């Protein structure tokens, strides 16, 4: 019998004794003197574990640095009446090791400041975080609860902290925050995220293993202000930052079980979105503000090699075997680097699963602002910075969200993404055997990255209407890319031409606006300063032509204008019509330009690849031949004989 199986039998026996104690004995409750924790526990003191759980799960040599933790020196919080702080003080004085939390229920009333050389460890837990693409049966019996929507939990800010972690705990409303030390301001939620201009340090040798973390969120759209009952943009369940060595493994972030409501700007109420938060963040999200201050030339949409920002390239980071449920934001965010020469020697992101809420609704992040057509809630599976990272064997079901009270969906929705916003050029990455199919979105892309060299993109899978490879790649200089076995076939070459970043291959001059056999989308040479667009509902993918009768909307004109130029009112083309458009061959590219034509034409906004684009026609185009099915297509106009017309004035009121 294996040690793990034996452990499971012992745990089952222990729980039987606990159940008997609950039925036939009175419950003892201890309230910590320092208001750090209260505890309810039963039965005789258990024997604390002294093994290395990382070695037991992955072998002695796989993550050998974990042997530096003093696993055999154990202090139990029960010996200090549940006072975590006093128990930790005693442990540190004895040389550090394991702060043991026996099976039972505990409540943190404020952040527990985890110290260097301390691993907070619960009773041994059986089960795994995931079973295929489903949540696993991991269910730790050491349960810690935090106040609802306050984003409290287990916190460390020591720039030199080492050999610390969180193991085998069930955290209800409690975040794991092994954060970097940022400056110049002292710690606060708001200053750390918005005011950081330097990184003091991030510590080393950090472990988050075998935990269940749920119901984590901050119910204040503006941290440090009075809570307004709305989710904070940067709520994060598990955040680990390390200058060297971190293991985040076999953690289950399930769908929230807590229930609450929030008041909307229109006076209605909606379910509070506990899972609209970042899932697992390793060396990425918190560094965004400091990156912008410290990297010369860094700006959204412009990549650099980011050499001054060494924190993006830290070695020894591993994220594996986790299950993350989310309703927006990003499942797993990470950066990291390797040895500077070996492909895939950086951060190891292995065999995780990210599950997004299907048919979710995005209400925004402000009680006074309703989301609109171009808003993003990211809705990403895996978000990457750094270089030489190995992303292998991961899965995900990625869905965008419907904007509250609108027909539009949020933008983005990537399965695996590298982009230039607070990012860097990409070298020696591996994306191998990742399956992001089965959801509603989930494309896998280097988006607008200037340099992609010596990277591997092999045997990945997405839905047939999604893409894999290089997107918005006009300025990209790919070199030595391996792109084999992907479904659908990956696009791994830079494009030959562009219009405001829309890459394409031009076609025959006979494909003109208004022709029944025109292509689904045709963009003329950017040098001609013109855009021609044909939208088609009966597109033949074999001949790449629009079948007779399939022409729906058409507009052309010579003028290009600033991105935000638009008329005051818009005519909304139905998403059902646009969903039938076949963007060929631009299905592998993200449309992200703005072109306003002079004949009542189309205004294009930021359009993710293969999404349902938000294409709007100017309101003043009503009398300029815009086609329609019903008057609902004509905004405030009417549909007459298949063409939008101005609404007739209302009849005079009777005397």
């Amino acid at each position: 019998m294996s040690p793990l199986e034996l452990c499971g039998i012992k745990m089952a026996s222990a729980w039987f004794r606990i159940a008997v104690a609950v039925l036939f004995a009175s419950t003892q409750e201890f309230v910590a003197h320092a208001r750090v924790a209260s505890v309810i526990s039963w039965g005789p003191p258990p024997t604390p574990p002294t093994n290395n759980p990382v070695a037991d799960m992955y072998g002695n040599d796989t993550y050998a640095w974990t042997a530096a933790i003093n696993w055999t020196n154990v202090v139990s919080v029960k010996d200090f009446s549940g006072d975590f702080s006093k128990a930790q003080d005693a442990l540190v004085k004895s040389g550090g090791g394991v702060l043991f939390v026996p099976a039972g229920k505990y409540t943190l009333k404020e952040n527990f400041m985890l110290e260097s050389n301390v691993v907070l460890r619960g009773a041994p837990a059986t089960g795994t975080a995931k079973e295929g693409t489903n949540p696993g049966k991991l269910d730790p019996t050491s349960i810690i609860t935090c106040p609802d929507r306050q984003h409290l939990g287990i916190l460390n800010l020591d720039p030199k902290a080492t050999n610390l972690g969180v193991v085998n705990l069930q955290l209800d409303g409690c975040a794991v925050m092994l954060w970097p030390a940022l400056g110049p301001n002292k710690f606060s939620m708001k200053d750390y995220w918005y005011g950081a201009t330097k990184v003091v340090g991030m510590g080393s040798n950090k472990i988050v293993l075998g935990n269940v973390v749920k119901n984590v969120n901050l119910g204040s759209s503006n941290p440090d202000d009075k809570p307004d009952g709305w989710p904070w943009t940067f709520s994060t369940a598990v955040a680990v930052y390390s200058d060297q060595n971190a293991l985040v493994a076999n953690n289950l972030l399930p769908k929230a079980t807590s229930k609450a409501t929030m008041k909307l700007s229109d006076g209605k109420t909606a379910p509070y979105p506990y899972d609209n938060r970042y899932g697992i963040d390793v060396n990425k999200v918190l560094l965004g503000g400091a990156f912008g201050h410290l990297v010369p030339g860094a700006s959204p949409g412009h990549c650099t090699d980011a050499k001054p920002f060494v924190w993006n390239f830290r070695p020894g980071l591993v994220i594996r075997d986790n299950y993350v449920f989310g309703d927006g934001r990003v499942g797993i965010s990470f950066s990291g680097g390797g040895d500077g020469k070996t492909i895939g020697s950086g951060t190891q992101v292995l065999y995780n699963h990210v599950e997004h809420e299907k048919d979710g609704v995005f209400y925004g992040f402000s009680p006074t602002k309703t989301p609109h057509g171009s808003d993003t809630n990211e809705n990403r599976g895996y978000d990457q910075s750094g270089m030489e990272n190995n992303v292998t064997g991961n899965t995900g079901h990625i869905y965008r969200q419907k904007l509250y009270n609108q027909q539009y969906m949020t933008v983005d929705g990537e399965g695996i993404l590298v982009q230039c916003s607070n990012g860097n050029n990409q070298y020696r990455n591996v994306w191998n055997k990742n399956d992001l199919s089965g959801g509603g979105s989930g494309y896998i892309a280097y988006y607008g990255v200037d340099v992609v060299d010596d990277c591997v993109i092999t045997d990945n899978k997405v839905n047939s209407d999604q893409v894999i490879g290089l997107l918005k790649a006009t300025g990209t200089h790919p070199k030595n890319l391996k792109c084999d076995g992907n479904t659908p076939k990956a696009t791994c070459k830079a494009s030959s031409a562009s219009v405001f970043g829309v890459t394409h291959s031009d076609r025959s001059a006979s494909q003109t606006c208004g022709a029944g056999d025109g292509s689904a989308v045709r963009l003329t040479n950017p040098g001609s300063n013109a855009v021609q667009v044909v939208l088609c509902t009966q597109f033949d993918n074999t001949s790449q032509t629009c079948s007779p009768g399939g022409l729906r909307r058409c507009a052309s004109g010579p003028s290009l204008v600033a991105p935000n130029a638009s008329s005051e009112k818009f005519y909304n083309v139905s998403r059902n019509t646009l969903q039938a458009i076949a963007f060929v061959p631009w299905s592998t590219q993200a449309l992200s330009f703005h072109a306003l034509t002079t004949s009542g034409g189309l205004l294009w906004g930021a359009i993710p690849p293969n999404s349902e684009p938000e294409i709007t026609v100017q309101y003043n185009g009503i009398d300029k031949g815009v086609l329609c099915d019903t008057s609902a297509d004509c905004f405030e106009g009417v549909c007459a004989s298949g063409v939008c017309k101005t609404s007739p004035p209302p009849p005079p009121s009777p005397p």
Side-chain angles (χ1 to χ4, degrees):
M1 181 176 293
S2 70
L4 190 59
E5 292 171 326
L6 182 61
C7 175
I9 292 174
K10 289 181 178 179
M11 282 301 302
S13 175
W15 270 111
F16 176 77
R17 292 195 301 272
I18 291 172
V20 172
V22 173
L23 289 172
F24 297 103
S26 61
T27 299
Q28 290 183 313
E29 181 174 351
F30 303 91
V31 179
H33 175 71
R35 292 190 70 252
V36 173
S38 63
V39 56
I40 302 173
S41 62
W42 307 274
T47 301
T50 58
N51 62 310
N52 179 345
V54 177
D56 288 350
M57 179 168 285
Y58 296 114
N60 291 325
D61 299 328
T62 307
Y63 308 112
W65 57 268
T66 63
I69 296 171
N70 191 353
W71 297 103
T72 60
N73 188 34
V74 181
V75 171
S76 174
V77 298
K78 191 167 186 179
D79 294 337
F80 293 84
S81 300
D83 191 319
F84 282 36
S85 293
K86 287 184 178 180
Q88 180 172 244
D89 289 344
L91 177 63
V92 170
K93 288 179 181 178
S94 68
V98 172
L99 182 59
F100 179 55
V101 183
K105 295 182 178 180
Y106 306 78
T107 299
L108 288 181
K109 298 181 180 180
E110 58 192 36
N111 283 323
F112 174 61
M113 303 299 292
L114 188 67
E115 294 194 24
S116 183
N117 292 299
V118 173
V119 172
L120 189 65
R121 184 175 187 178
T126 59
T128 58
K130 69 184 189 75
E131 295 179 357
T133 60
N134 297 311
K137 294 181 172 59
L138 181 66
D139 190 22
T141 56
S142 301
I143 303 169
I144 302 177
T145 302
C146 289
D148 185 41
R149 291 174 289 172
Q150 293 189 25
H151 212 289
L152 299 176
I154 301 162
L155 177 65
N156 179 275
L157 302 169
D158 182 354
K160 297 182 179 179
T162 188
N163 297 330
L164 69 161
V166 181
V167 175
N168 290 155
L169 295 175
Q170 186 156 173
L171 302 174
D172 190 347
C174 306
V176 176
M177 298 173 284
L178 307 185
W179 281 5
L182 303 177
N185 302 312
K186 292 183 179 180
F187 168 74
S188 75
M189 300 295 274
K190 188 171 184 177
D191 288 339
Y192 248 57
W193 291 88
Y194 302 116
T197 60
K198 66 178 180 179
V199 182
V200 180
M202 302 195 296
S204 62
N205 291 14
K206 300 182 180 182
I207 298 172
V208 179
L209 175 72
N211 304 285
V212 172
V213 185
K214 61 184 180 181
N215 302 323
V216 174
N217 211 289
L218 177 63
S220 179
S221 60
N222 192 1
D224 298 339
D225 289 351
K226 184 178 179 180
D228 55 18
W230 275 69
W232 180 37
T233 307
F234 294 108
S235 297
T236 305
V238 176
V240 178
Y241 285 72
S242 179
D243 285 319
Q244 182 174 0
N245 297 334
L247 175 64
V248 181
N250 194 39
N251 297 288
L252 171 57
L253 280 58
K255 186 173 183 176
T257 55
S258 293
K259 305 290 184 182
T261 59
M262 60 184 184
K263 189 174 182 179
L264 307 180
S265 59
D266 60 7
K268 297 180 180 179
T269 59
Y272 187 88
Y274 282 89
D275 295 321
N276 192 9
R277 47 92 181 107
Y278 291 91
I280 294 172
D281 169 33
V282 176
N283 282 26
K284 189 176 190 305
V285 180
L286 264 173
L287 299 179
F291 180 95
H293 285 89
L294 298 176
V295 180
S299 64
H302 175 67
C303 276
T304 72
D305 281 336
K307 292 179 180 177
F309 200 74
V310 296
W311 297 276
N312 256 4
F313 309 101
R314 292 310 197 193
L317 311 178
V318 180
I319 309 166
R320 64 176 301 170
D321 305 313
N322 302 284
Y323 179 97
V324 180
F325 183 90
D327 186 16
R329 312 313 286 164
V330 181
I332 297 177
S333 308
F334 61 96
S335 71
D339 58 13
K341 59 183 179 181
T342 305
I343 294 175
S345 60
T347 299
Q348 305 295 300
V349 182
L350 310 172
Y351 316 117
N352 303 281
H353 179 76
V354 174
E355 184 77 19
H356 278 178
E357 180 75 68
K358 185 179 180 181
D359 300 324
V361 177
F362 179 48
Y363 298 96
F365 288 104
S366 168
T368 60
K369 180 184 177 184
T370 301
H372 58 275
S374 62
D375 274 2
T376 178
N377 196 22
E378 296 184 299
N379 300 98
R380 291 176 189 145
Y382 304 83
D383 199 353
Q384 171 179 329
S385 291
M387 64 182 185
E388 298 175 337
N389 298 317
N390 176 22
V391 183
T392 293
N394 301 281
T395 55
H397 297 144
I398 310 303
Y399 294 92
R400 294 155 63 211
Q401 295 167 294
K402 187 179 184 297
L403 298 178
Y404 172 68
N405 232 8
Q406 296 194 39
Q407 63 175 322
Y408 302 125
M409 306 291 286
T410 54
V411 298
D412 294 325
E414 303 88 353
I416 302 173
L417 175 70
V418 173
Q419 62 180 332
C420 282
S421 180
N422 288 339
N424 53 272
N425 290 319
Q426 293 297 308
Y427 305 90
R428 297 176 292 279
N429 292 318
V430 174
W431 292 351
N432 180 50
K433 295 184 178 179
N434 301 289
D435 188 347
L436 277 298
S437 66
S441 187
Y443 61 94
I444 298 175
Y446 291 93
Y447 183 83
V449 180
D450 294 341
V451 177
V452 182
D453 285 357
D454 298 314
C455 292
V456 174
I457 309 174
T458 53
D459 298 321
N460 302 286
K461 183 180 180 181
V462 297
N463 293 342
S464 59
D465 63 343
Q466 300 295 304
V467 296
I468 299 172
L470 309 182
L471 300 184
K472 197 181 177 185
T474 306
T476 300
H477 304 284
K479 184 174 67 176
N480 299 331
L481 301 189
K482 183 178 181 182
C483 297
D484 301 323
N486 299 286
T487 306
K489 184 178 179 180
T491 299
C492 292
K493 294 182 180 180
S495 303
S496 57
S498 70
V499 177
F500 281 74
V502 182
T503 58
H504 66 92
S505 300
D506 205 0
R507 299 188 187 173
S508 168
S510 65
Q511 296 172 335
T512 58
C513 185
D517 60 352
S519 61
V521 175
R522 179 174 183 268
L523 305 177
T524 64
N525 188 311
S528 69
N529 215 28
V531 174
Q532 292 184 335
V533 180
V534 176
L535 307 184
C536 176
T537 57
Q538 299 177 31
F539 192 79
D540 188 326
N541 283 300
T542 302
S543 62
Q544 295 191 5
T545 60
C546 182
S547 302
L551 182 64
R552 289 284 303 180
R553 310 280 192 268
C554 180
S556 64
S559 64
L560 294 174
V561 298
N564 293 326
S566 63
S567 60
E568 185 176 355
K569 298 179 180 179
F570 297 99
Y571 163 103
N572 297 316
V573 179
S574 72
R575 241 178 27 252
N576 288 335
T577 298
L578 296 176
Q579 194 170 16
I581 299 170
F583 291 101
V584 179
W586 305 288
S587 60
T588 57
Q589 306 300 337
L591 304 179
S592 57
F593 72 101
H594 296 74
L596 185 62
T597 66
T598 57
S599 60
L602 299 175
L603 177 70
W604 292 69
I607 303 172
N610 291 300
S611 66
E612 300 171 3
E614 298 156 26
I615 302 177
T616 55
V617 177
Q618 282 188 283
Y619 175 64
N620 64 13
I622 281 181
D623 290 317
K624 297 185 179 180
V626 175
L627 304 180
C628 58
D629 291 325
T630 68
S631 294
D633 290 338
C634 299
F635 194 65
E636 295 179 358
V638 296
C639 187
S641 301
V643 179
C644 290
K645 297 291 184 182
T646 303
S647 298
S653 301

